[in-house]
Amino acid sequence: MDWKIALDTVWVLVAAMLVFFMNLGFALVESGFARAKNTVNIISKNFVVFAVATLAFLIVGWGLMYGDGNGFMGLKGLFFIGGADNSPAVGEAYSGVYSALNWTGVPLLAKFFFQLVFAGTAATIVSGAVAERIKYVSFIVFSAILVAFIYPIVGHWIWGGGWLAQLGFWDFAGSTVVHSVGAWAALAGVLVLGPRIGKYGKDGSVRAIPGHNMTSAMTGCLILWFGWFGFNPGSTMAADPEAISRIIVTTNVAAAAGALAATAIAWWLLGKPDIGMTINGALAGLVGITASCAFVSVESSLIIGAIAGAMVVYGVLALDKFKLDDPVGAIAVHGMGGIFGTLAVGLFAQDKFMPGTTGDGLLFGGGAGLLMNQLIGIAAVGAAVFAASLAIWYAIKLTIGVRVSEEEEMEGLDIGEHGNRAYPDFVMTETIA
Amino acid sequence: MDWKIALDTVWVLVAAMLVFFMNLGFALVESGFARAKNTVNIISKNFVVFAVATLAFLIVGWGLMYGDGNGFMGLKGLFFIGGADNSPAVGEAYSGVYSALNWTGVPLLAKFFFQLVFAGTAATIVSGAVAERIKYVSFIVFSAILVAFIYPIVGHWIWGGGWLAQLGFWDFAGSTVVHSVGAWAALAGVLVLGPRIGKYGKDGSVRAIPGHNMTSAMTGCLILWFGWFGFNPGSTMAADPEAISRIIVTTNVAAAAGALAATAIAWWLLGKPDIGMTINGALAGLVGITASCAFVSVESSLIIGAIAGAMVVYGVLALDKFKLDDPVGAIAVHGMGGIFGTLAVGLFAQDKFMPGTTGDGLLFGGGAGLLMNQLIGIAAVGAAVFAASLAIWYAIKLTIGVRVSEEEEMEGLDIGEHGNRAYPDFVMTETIA
Amino acid sequence: MDWKIALDTVWVLVAAMLVFFMNLGFALVESGFARAKNTVNIISKNFVVFAVATLAFLIVGWGLMYGDGNGFMGLKGLFFIGGADNSPAVGEAYSGVYSALNWTGVPLLAKFFFQLVFAGTAATIVSGAVAERIKYVSFIVFSAILVAFIYPIVGHWIWGGGWLAQLGFWDFAGSTVVHSVGAWAALAGVLVLGPRIGKYGKDGSVRAIPGHNMTSAMTGCLILWFGWFGFNPGSTMAADPEAISRIIVTTNVAAAAGALAATAIAWWLLGKPDIGMTINGALAGLVGITASCAFVSVESSLIIGAIAGAMVVYGVLALDKFKLDDPVGAIAVHGMGGIFGTLAVGLFAQDKFMPGTTGDGLLFGGGAGLLMNQLIGIAAVGAAVFAASLAIWYAIKLTIGVRVSEEEEMEGLDIGEHGNRAYPDFVMTETIA
């Protein structure tokens, strides 16, 4: 047996487990930032969405994303990972229908599992933005379609050897593929759903609706940070010692810089270091470094993280100006962070870190070509995902409906959707409508 | 140095750490599904039981399970892992008294630690079923005996080279060895203890006693799912790339299918998708795939998980019919799931996945022989563990007592057993008697 | 490529991730043991301190600790890991300015990340002891100085090839380097801050101030135990199968023995098995085995853990006698545990486990020389860290101030420092002043 295949497989699977664990991180951040009366619903959504993603990606998503096909989508080996494949053979030696991943020398099911947990992440991002008013069944239906069709087709363009990959668009671990996709789908959902009752006054006022459990939110954020050590370094899909060591440091430094930048800006803007901003700053730093983590220096990662962290504070405040009600800040974190992170490749990349991939970015003498490619990718993915998601959300609205009744929203979705209460032994305040 | 020994050791230890982490998962699922007034007691039980298991398995359990002996129990190297052993030598080259594990090429203490965390899991399963009325000291005493004697002796039959192993009974990662053993011990405890006050009315009614913290319960479930990626793939005890990749996918698909099946059945039966059923469905899917995870196809794992998930809904409801009060559903999840999972080997196994082990199961043309062996193992283990546990629970009842006073049960075990309250800064409702 | 470099790097990074995850463990133990009204502040401190530590250690701490220099501090490659270095070359083949770590064959950034998470742990220990009355900004400033200067300079003495290393002082994974350093800095902070309002009566009485969430505290403790499997076995910085297998078992056995010893002593002294003592006993066992985990037998680890666990019960009670108000018991756990653990090397070490390192300790026929070296190291580190910390805490007190106002302390630091509440949907009791 070959040591490299065995070690790479262990590395990829451990990384994938960490990314799986991010489901808990999302569940706790999102439920912590929402009201107690909707907790069962939110954590159920976050939980069941990974189960749905597992089946959707197994049955059809994987093949659409990684099956050999054209620049737009996979066409071979579509169902149940059913195509020919001689993994872990690599490069020339590879023979099968999933050629886009023939650069990594691990068994087919290791490739599948690693890609599955990424697909699940995209779906989970949507969950927070649409929280506190969406019907449970409608979220499940949308998630299934997102993971079965939208995510894999767009992903095919970039990671499946499609037209953006051929153009020279780079997204190492998914600032665009995963995070922006989730955010665009979320934005469409927020538009179709409308804001929560009481969020925006007729006089233009914005009412703060505090989350019910900061212990949950902080726990979730640290779990996400932890899980990102699988997300980014694991995207090497090989235990390359120099690369994974560099990526874990750039990832961590960006998270730290994002947390500190957001804390400082919030302190300055709002007068106090709001915990929600600290949390979203760290997450924005993580999203921001995701595309470029393998291509940039540690010093650059500090700058990228700090910018992403600062941006998210303004982003959260700006979305409220447009009455886009995102209870957890998911669109700011994953959307703005994802776009900026994708651009950061074009600005900060240095050829020396992964020779023969990105080349140098604008700030390192490489010209604007890479940055232009990144912009094209951002726009194309954004337009496609937003349009497709909007169509699907509308179709759901017109058929099974998308929003719970006003009464149910006031009482909380836990009773209405699940017949459960999250904390029945505790006396609750009358939570804000 | 040999790369394979080093890599296998890293894999086994990382997997063992994940299984250790399942202690937290059990603590949160069990306490979340119980009332706030018993939280300190439940999490203390779950915590201390692993400490007890560590010493019990170190001092005597390991030797009884893996020491060379006869078909019934180990007889050599009984105490403190004290026998001769030249691990990581394997097969013919192995020389020592722990021959049953001579197929894995890792150091002796890595074998011990991996097996220890499995022993701890069996004990922890009991904890939930007997919650909310058992005396702390009585639980500790039972756990010590379970891990020191019952678990290792029965485990010897299957994993220690004993009579069931020789018969041709297969349980890859412990649907029977770990989960059923825990459930049979729990069932005996539930019978000796009786139901909680107020659970069953004289008119035959069943009162629902809701758990106090669904955030805890869901967190615990996701930690268990995460930990299962150590439990099942780690049971290879070698970083075999094809096997561990396959097992992680079958494990995950079964969990997803279990969660969705239980959610759907609960939605249909109860009118709403109860979160407790979703959680227990995922866990049942995981228990159900544990015995067969290495021997079945991904498609089979989907069916196995779905059946286990569906079964658990009916199981939870059925136990209440018999007035078997299991506050967290442990007997349904680990007992029924464990039995079904063990049978699933006999139904769904395919020789091609691990040639020379199970052979083909009934549904793949292998005849009923394997299924019969599985039935014999299920029955033998069940009878032995149930009888031994019943005897010990009775002995405890007659000596130190097994159940707290009625007053203490009403007030909550946190005050009575520990002098602590779990949430002193929160105003609590008058929790159901 | 060399399999050993790749595997060692994977091992070191996975271990480092686990140590990173301990930040969540500390956040939950510390906030769980404190009052609900200070939760946002405590978890914010624990979160942001790792971000601060990341930048402080990156910018200057790493170079002071591991840069070549004299016996007192590093002098080369001080800023941004900027020195020459040809890692993963080892021993004679190494050429660079970070010679003290030339025994481990992993890339420079893997070394950095592993050492960074240890630095962060030291800072996080302080957090709990000074909780519930310290100003947020003051804690941030102190933490930055601790990680940038105090921790790395003292660390240089021991792990950076400095004078204590040359003397023959041994601390495998940081009972002194990490845990005692954190505890001495915390003790200085507690002295400068004074006790919380209402903790000590004028009549000499001690008021118990119960923690607000035992689920959090227990969750945190289990996460710390889990993370210690990175902390101790990872300190090999190589996937040495025999060593890491031994260390994980000694670590686990000491934790179990500590938990059981503290539970038993508390039961006997206080009449009931207080959950806080169980938790701190496990942690003390872990701290206690940290220095010696690689040098002692499994049987010795049981004794070391039990002693550390028993000590912590008396330690927590004794600190209150001196009116040293440490809300979470950090000084007892990390200070006393750290000192005892360092001494334990001198008592229990056996040359055979790591030939050519410690030699035999006093109890194994090695004479008192090693024990004397350990005492010198304990005293020197304690004096230096305590004096430096005291000076810095005073300087902070005289400039930006160190303690919140009386009003803010009564109302809770969450509102005063952050403008947030941790649990706004829950009705709270009037928490103890």
Side-chain angles (χ1 to χ4, degrees):
Chain A
M1 197 163 55
D2 184 335
W3 70 264
K4 193 164 177 348
I5 294 170
L7 177 58
D8 287 354
T9 303
V10 167
W11 172 247
V12 167
L13 293 185
V14 169
M17 293 175 201
L18 289 169
V19 179
F20 164 82
F21 200 47
M22 292 171 71
N23 282 291
L24 176 56
F26 281 106
L28 292 176
V29 166
E30 295 176 15
S31 63
F33 279 165
R35 285 165 290 183
K37 66 183 180 182
N38 298 316
T39 299
V40 167
N41 180 250
I42 292 172
I43 58 182
S44 292
K45 292 208 327 284
N46 275 283
F47 184 81
V48 96
V49 76
F50 185 70
V52 168
T54 292
L55 298 198
F57 203 68
L58 172 68
I59 296 172
V60 60
W62 160 265
L64 287 177
M65 187 152 175
Y66 288 109
D68 291 344
N70 53 30
F72 180 73
M73 59 186 275
L75 296 167
K76 292 188 185 165
L78 285 183
F79 308 113
F80 277 96
I81 332 172
D85 183 275
N86 73 340
S87 299
V90 293
E92 299 282 298
Y94 177 79
S95 145
V97 303
Y98 306 116
S99 319
L101 287 178
N102 76 0
W103 51 271
T104 170
V106 298
L108 179 61
L109 288 178
K111 297 178 186 178
F112 168 74
F113 189 64
F114 191 77
Q115 297 302 329
L116 161 64
V117 291
F118 276 65
T121 302
T124 262
I125 289 166
V126 180
S127 168
V130 300
E132 305 207 284
R133 70 270 204 210
I134 196 168
K135 285 176 72 169
Y136 189 51
V137 67
S138 307
F139 175 75
I140 290 175
V141 169
F142 181 83
S143 299
I145 297 168
L146 180 70
V147 177
F149 302 104
I150 303 177
Y151 172 85
I153 289 175
V154 168
H156 182 82
W157 302 353
I158 299 164
W159 289 349
W163 70 274
L164 279 170
Q166 289 159 27
L167 177 76
F169 172 90
W170 291 94
D171 181 5
F172 188 75
S175 286
T176 286
V177 178
V178 180
H179 295 280
S180 292
V181 164
W184 288 114
L187 179 63
V190 165
L191 283 169
V192 173
L193 274 167
R196 291 168 291 174
I197 297 169
K199 176 68 187 173
Y200 303 113
K202 286 183 181 162
D203 56 351
S205 64
V206 177
R207 190 193 295 189
I209 300 181
H212 87 286
N213 193 328
M214 291 306 111
T215 299
S216 281
M218 184 60 86
T219 299
C221 179
L222 276 166
I223 288 173
L224 287 173
W225 190 333
F226 178 59
W228 237 287
F229 295 145
F231 207 94
N232 284 4
S235 289
T236 54
M237 296 191 79
D240 172 347
E242 290 291 342
I244 62 178
S245 301
R246 163 168 304 283
I247 296 170
I248 204 168
V249 173
T250 57
T251 300
N252 186 68
V253 168
L260 291 175
T263 304
I265 301 265
W267 210 327
W268 175 64
L269 275 186
L270 311 173
K272 293 193 176 170
D274 179 82
I275 189 175
M277 292 301 186
T278 300
I279 288 172
N280 276 335
L283 297 181
L286 288 162
V287 173
I289 198 65
T290 293
S292 67
C293 56
F295 307 132
V296 300
S297 70
V298 175
E299 290 82 357
S300 295
S301 74
L302 202 164
I303 298 166
I304 293 168
I307 295 173
M311 274 177 55
V312 86
V313 180
Y314 294 99
V316 165
L317 300 174
L319 284 171
D320 271 336
K321 293 261 164 70
F322 294 98
K323 300 198 176 178
L324 293 168
D325 183 18
D326 174 355
V328 308
I331 297 170
V333 167
H334 300 279
M336 298 186 195
I339 290 171
F340 169 70
T342 307
L343 290 175
V345 176
L347 296 169
F348 294 94
Q350 292 179 263
D351 187 60
K352 65 179 178 182
F353 294 122
M354 288 243 160
T357 58
T358 56
D360 288 325
L362 187 65
L363 298 177
F364 288 88
L370 178 58
L371 191 62
M372 289 306 301
N373 293 347
Q374 301 298 99
L375 274 167
I376 293 169
I378 290 165
V381 169
V385 174
F386 182 71
S389 298
L390 205 59
I392 292 159
W393 283 120
Y394 266 115
I396 292 173
K397 185 174 181 173
L398 296 175
T399 49
I400 54 178
V402 73
R403 186 160 179 155
V404 300
S405 72
E406 206 165 309
E407 294 69 37
E408 183 176 334
E409 188 176 337
M410 301 293 280
E411 188 194 16
L413 279 67
D414 290 3
I415 299 295
E417 296 292 287
H418 300 271
N420 298 122
R421 284 189 299 151
Y423 310 106
D425 292 358
F426 295 83
V427 177
M428 310 305 290
T429 60
E430 281 191 45
T431 45
I432 296 169
Chain B
M1 196 163 58
D2 183 336
W3 70 265
K4 190 161 179 352
I5 294 169
L7 177 59
D8 287 353
T9 304
V10 167
W11 172 248
V12 168
L13 293 185
V14 169
M17 293 175 201
L18 290 169
V19 179
F20 164 83
F21 200 47
M22 291 171 71
N23 281 290
L24 177 55
F26 281 107
L28 293 175
V29 167
E30 294 176 16
S31 62
F33 278 164
R35 286 165 290 183
K37 65 183 180 182
N38 298 317
T39 299
V40 167
N41 180 250
I42 292 171
I43 58 183
S44 292
K45 292 207 328 281
N46 275 284
F47 184 80
V48 95
V49 76
F50 185 69
V52 168
T54 292
L55 298 197
F57 203 67
L58 173 67
I59 295 172
V60 61
W62 161 265
L64 287 176
M65 187 152 174
Y66 289 108
D68 290 345
N70 53 32
F72 180 71
M73 60 186 273
L75 295 168
K76 292 189 185 167
L78 285 183
F79 307 112
F80 277 96
I81 332 172
D85 183 274
N86 73 341
S87 298
V90 293
E92 299 281 299
Y94 177 79
S95 145
V97 302
Y98 306 116
S99 321
L101 288 178
N102 76 1
W103 51 271
T104 168
V106 298
L108 179 60
L109 288 178
K111 297 178 186 176
F112 169 74
F113 189 64
F114 190 77
Q115 297 302 329
L116 162 64
V117 292
F118 276 64
T121 302
T124 261
I125 290 167
V126 180
S127 170
V130 299
E132 305 207 285
R133 71 270 205 208
I134 196 169
K135 286 176 71 170
Y136 190 50
V137 66
S138 307
F139 176 74
I140 291 175
V141 169
F142 181 82
S143 299
I145 296 169
L146 180 70
V147 177
F149 302 104
I150 302 175
Y151 172 84
I153 288 174
V154 167
H156 181 82
W157 302 354
I158 299 163
W159 289 348
W163 71 274
L164 279 170
Q166 290 157 25
L167 177 74
F169 172 89
W170 292 94
D171 180 5
F172 188 74
S175 285
T176 285
V177 179
V178 179
H179 295 280
S180 293
V181 165
W184 287 114
L187 178 63
V190 165
L191 284 169
V192 173
L193 274 167
R196 291 168 292 172
I197 297 171
K199 177 67 189 174
Y200 303 113
K202 286 184 182 164
D203 56 350
S205 64
V206 178
R207 190 193 293 189
I209 301 181
H212 87 286
N213 193 328
M214 292 305 110
T215 299
S216 281
M218 185 60 86
T219 299
C221 179
L222 275 166
I223 288 173
L224 288 172
W225 190 333
F226 178 59
W228 236 286
F229 294 145
F231 207 94
N232 284 4
S235 290
T236 54
M237 295 192 80
D240 172 348
E242 289 292 342
I244 62 179
S245 301
R246 163 167 305 281
I247 296 170
I248 205 168
V249 173
T250 55
T251 300
N252 186 69
V253 167
L260 292 174
T263 304
I265 301 266
W267 211 326
W268 175 64
L269 275 185
L270 311 172
K272 293 193 177 171
D274 178 82
I275 187 175
M277 291 301 186
T278 300
I279 289 172
N280 276 335
L283 297 180
L286 287 162
V287 172
I289 197 65
T290 293
S292 67
C293 56
F295 308 131
V296 300
S297 70
V298 174
E299 289 82 356
S300 295
S301 73
L302 203 165
I303 298 167
I304 292 168
I307 294 173
M311 272 177 54
V312 86
V313 179
Y314 294 99
V316 165
L317 301 174
L319 284 172
D320 271 337
K321 294 259 165 72
F322 294 98
K323 302 199 177 180
L324 294 168
D325 182 18
D326 174 356
V328 308
I331 296 169
V333 168
H334 301 279
M336 297 186 197
I339 289 170
F340 169 69
T342 307
L343 290 176
V345 176
L347 296 169
F348 293 95
Q350 291 178 264
D351 188 59
K352 64 180 179 180
F353 295 123
M354 290 243 159
T357 59
T358 55
D360 288 326
L362 187 65
L363 299 177
F364 289 89
L370 178 58
L371 190 63
M372 288 308 301
N373 293 347
Q374 301 298 100
L375 273 168
I376 292 168
I378 290 165
V381 169
V385 174
F386 182 71
S389 298
L390 203 60
I392 292 160
W393 283 120
Y394 265 116
I396 292 172
K397 184 174 184 176
L398 295 175
T399 50
I400 54 178
V402 73
R403 186 161 180 156
V404 301
S405 72
E406 207 166 307
E407 294 70 36
E408 184 177 333
E409 188 175 337
M410 301 294 280
E411 188 192 16
L413 279 66
D414 290 3
I415 300 293
E417 296 293 285
H418 301 271
N420 300 124
R421 285 189 297 152
Y423 310 105
D425 293 359
F426 295 81
V427 177
M428 311 305 290
T429 59
E430 280 191 47
T431 43
I432 296 167
Chain C
M1 196 163 58
D2 184 336
W3 70 265
K4 191 162 177 354
I5 294 170
L7 177 58
D8 287 352
T9 302
V10 166
W11 172 247
V12 167
L13 293 184
V14 169
M17 294 175 200
L18 290 169
V19 179
F20 164 83
F21 199 47
M22 291 171 71
N23 281 291
L24 177 57
F26 281 107
L28 293 176
V29 167
E30 296 177 16
S31 63
F33 279 164
R35 286 165 290 183
K37 66 184 180 182
N38 298 316
T39 299
V40 168
N41 180 251
I42 291 172
I43 59 182
S44 292
K45 292 206 329 283
N46 275 285
F47 183 80
V48 95
V49 76
F50 186 69
V52 168
T54 292
L55 298 198
F57 203 67
L58 172 67
I59 295 172
V60 60
W62 160 264
L64 287 176
M65 188 152 173
Y66 289 107
D68 292 345
N70 53 32
F72 181 71
M73 59 186 275
L75 296 167
K76 292 187 184 166
L78 286 184
F79 307 113
F80 277 96
I81 333 173
D85 184 275
N86 74 339
S87 299
V90 293
E92 299 280 299
Y94 177 79
S95 145
V97 303
Y98 306 116
S99 320
L101 288 178
N102 75 1
W103 51 270
T104 169
V106 298
L108 179 60
L109 288 177
K111 296 179 186 176
F112 169 74
F113 188 64
F114 190 76
Q115 297 302 328
L116 162 64
V117 291
F118 275 65
T121 302
T124 261
I125 290 166
V126 180
S127 170
V130 300
E132 303 206 285
R133 71 270 205 208
I134 196 168
K135 286 176 71 171
Y136 189 49
V137 67
S138 307
F139 175 75
I140 290 175
V141 170
F142 180 83
S143 299
I145 296 169
L146 180 71
V147 177
F149 302 105
I150 301 176
Y151 172 84
I153 289 176
V154 167
H156 182 81
W157 303 353
I158 298 164
W159 289 349
W163 70 274
L164 279 170
Q166 289 158 27
L167 178 74
F169 172 90
W170 291 94
D171 181 5
F172 189 75
S175 285
T176 285
V177 178
V178 179
H179 295 279
S180 292
V181 164
W184 288 113
L187 179 63
V190 166
L191 284 170
V192 172
L193 275 168
R196 291 168 291 173
I197 297 170
K199 177 67 187 174
Y200 303 113
K202 286 183 182 162
D203 56 351
S205 64
V206 177
R207 192 192 294 188
I209 301 180
H212 86 287
N213 193 327
M214 292 306 109
T215 298
S216 282
M218 185 59 86
T219 300
C221 179
L222 276 165
I223 288 173
L224 287 173
W225 190 333
F226 178 58
W228 237 286
F229 295 145
F231 207 94
N232 285 2
S235 290
T236 54
M237 295 192 79
D240 173 348
E242 289 292 342
I244 62 178
S245 301
R246 166 167 302 280
I247 296 170
I248 205 167
V249 173
T250 56
T251 300
N252 186 68
V253 168
L260 291 175
T263 304
I265 301 266
W267 211 327
W268 175 63
L269 275 186
L270 311 172
K272 292 192 176 172
D274 178 83
I275 189 175
M277 292 300 186
T278 300
I279 288 173
N280 276 334
L283 297 180
L286 288 162
V287 172
I289 197 66
T290 293
S292 67
C293 56
F295 308 131
V296 300
S297 69
V298 174
E299 289 81 357
S300 295
S301 74
L302 202 165
I303 298 167
I304 292 169
I307 294 174
M311 273 177 56
V312 86
V313 179
Y314 294 99
V316 165
L317 299 174
L319 284 171
D320 271 337
K321 293 260 164 74
F322 294 98
K323 300 197 176 180
L324 293 168
D325 183 18
D326 174 356
V328 307
I331 296 171
V333 168
H334 300 278
M336 297 185 196
I339 289 171
F340 169 69
T342 308
L343 290 175
V345 177
L347 295 170
F348 294 94
Q350 291 178 262
D351 187 61
K352 66 179 178 181
F353 295 122
M354 289 244 159
T357 59
T358 55
D360 288 326
L362 187 65
L363 297 178
F364 289 88
L370 178 58
L371 190 62
M372 289 308 300
N373 292 346
Q374 300 299 99
L375 274 168
I376 293 169
I378 291 165
V381 168
V385 174
F386 182 71
S389 298
L390 204 60
I392 291 159
W393 283 120
Y394 266 114
I396 291 172
K397 184 174 183 175
L398 295 175
T399 50
I400 54 177
V402 73
R403 186 160 179 156
V404 301
S405 71
E406 206 165 308
E407 293 70 36
E408 184 177 333
E409 188 174 337
M410 300 295 280
E411 189 192 14
L413 279 67
D414 290 3
I415 300 294
E417 297 292 287
H418 301 270
N420 299 123
R421 284 188 299 152
Y423 309 105
D425 292 358
F426 294 82
V427 177
M428 310 305 289
T429 60
E430 281 191 44
T431 44
I432 296 169

